[in-house]
Amino acid sequence: MRQFPWWMLALAFLNLWPAVACPLFLFGGLHPFGTSTSAWLNGLLYVLTNLLWVAPVLVFFLSLDLYRRGWEWQGACVATVGLLLTVAMGFWVFG
C-alpha cells in the first residue's frame, strides 16, 4: 500500500462502505427499482438492486489498479465515480 498516496487510499476505501450495507440489500426487502408480477423480471430487478452495492466495491479495486499502472488521473476519476455511487446507494438505503 506504500505505492499509493494517502488521499488515493482514502478516496478508494470510501467505496468499500457499501459492503457493510450489503445485508440490507440481500435480505432487507429493498425495491428501489419497483416490483413486477413477472418472476423473471423480479429476478432481474433483484440483480440490479444488488449491483448498487457490488459496483462501488468493484470500483475500489479498479481505481487502485489504474493508479498502480500509472494512470493516476483516471484512477482518481474512477474512485470519484465510485464515491458518487456509494452516496447514491446510501440515500437509497437510508433515505
Side-chain angles (χ1 to χ4, degrees):
M1 287 295 180
R2 292 180 182 252
Q3 59 187 338
F4 303 109
W6 65 269
W7 61 268
M8 182 63 190
L9 289 174
L11 186 62
F13 276 118
L14 288 174
N15 292 325
L16 292 179
W17 279 106
V20 175
C22 76
L24 299 174
F25 282 96
L26 295 172
F27 309 114
L30 294 175
H31 301 289
F33 297 112
T35 58
S36 174
T37 57
S38 169
W40 183 83
L41 193 55
N42 274 339
L44 181 64
L45 291 174
Y46 179 76
V47 169
L48 288 175
T49 301
N50 282 303
L51 281 178
L52 288 176
W53 74 268
V54 171
V57 173
L58 294 176
V59 164
F60 163 78
F61 294 107
L62 178 65
S63 65
L64 290 180
D65 186 51
L66 286 172
Y67 195 92
R68 183 184 55 83
R69 291 178 186 236
W71 296 332
E72 292 90 2
W73 187 79
Q74 289 87 346
C77 287
V78 167
T80 303
V81 169
L83 184 60
L84 293 175
L85 287 172
T86 300
V87 169
M89 181 276 315
F91 279 125
W92 231 315
V93 172
F94 302 111

